Amino acid sequence: SSGINAEYGETFQCLAEELGHTVTVPLSDFTTAGWPTEPTAAAPSFTVYITRGDDNSILGYCLTCLTYGWRGPVLRMEDLYITKEFRDRGVGTAFMRHLAKICETRGIPKLEWIADKTETDAVDFYRKRGGSCAAQWVVMQITGTEKLKALAETSLGPGIKLTKSD
């Protein structure tokens, strides 16, 4: 398949809009970046899990990627979204249990994610399942093409080389 199937792409666009996000790139850009073309398909950098109801409607999704830290591999949950009508019905817990099982079977010692502290229901949900706030960490980001371009164009300085390890 050369791109995200229509139902899959439309569903994610609707879910993003329900969350208040505006999708500003064509869905084909997601495939080019490695987004799987079908639900639950593994991509080189991330995996999408989808749960469906008896009528095959999408109840929610979870986007994960495997990364590494100083203490070994880390399964990072980039996004967990459950449609409003299926919240408080065990769908989110099912996703969290699945991710915990992945960590357990693959020997991954850490599952991490970022939660919006103003989303108190979500924070409470995660705490009830064993999540805790890593108070010593601050989420940092550079957002916007102008800022990224400005940083990318800065020089490394005399005598400094950057190489990729093999």
Side-chain angles (χ1 to χ4, degrees):
S1 174
S2 62
I4 296 174
N5 74 38
E7 177 205 8
Y8 190 44
E10 288 171 20
T11 299
F12 279 99
Q13 187 151 359
C14 288
L15 292 174
E17 289 170 2
E18 186 176 321
L19 284 168
H21 301 297
T22 302
V23 179
T24 59
V25 297
L27 291 173
S28 59
D29 285 6
F30 289 101
T31 303
T32 303
W35 187 276
T37 57
E38 297 294 329
T40 70
S45 59
F46 51 86
T47 305
V48 177
Y49 299 96
I50 302 246
T51 186
R52 294 181 180 270
D54 292 335
D55 63 354
N56 209 31
S57 63
I58 294 179
L59 310 180
Y61 73 92
C62 181
L63 171 65
T64 66
C65 66
L66 184 62
T67 186
Y68 294 86
W70 290 112
R71 295 186 178 139
V74 176
L75 184 59
R76 182 166 175 83
M77 183 172 58
E78 289 297 324
D79 201 6
L80 173 63
Y81 180 77
I82 311 303
T83 57
K84 288 180 184 176
E85 60 271 18
F86 285 95
R87 293 180 188 159
D88 296 320
R89 295 174 70 182
V91 177
T93 299
F95 277 122
M96 296 297 289
R97 286 183 59 211
H98 182 73
L99 298 181
K101 286 179 184 179
I102 290 171
C103 290
E104 182 181 33
T105 59
R106 295 184 187 172
I108 300 170
K110 185 178 185 180
L111 172 62
E112 79 173 10
W113 61 93
I114 296 173
D116 182 341
K117 64 183 171 185
T118 66
E119 298 280 343
T120 56
D121 288 343
V123 173
D124 290 344
F125 168 83
Y126 294 129
R127 285 184 194 273
K128 288 177 184 172
R129 280 140 194 92
S132 61
C133 295
Q136 74 275 22
W137 298 103
V138 175
V139 176
M140 304 294 295
Q141 62 185 9
I142 299 173
T143 304
T145 54
E146 291 300 317
K147 290 179 182 179
L148 289 167
K149 182 179 179 184
L151 179 59
E153 292 175 352
T154 60
S155 67
L156 291 176
I160 299 173
K161 292 183 199 177
L162 181 64
T163 60
K164 180 180 174 185
S165 66
D166 294 324

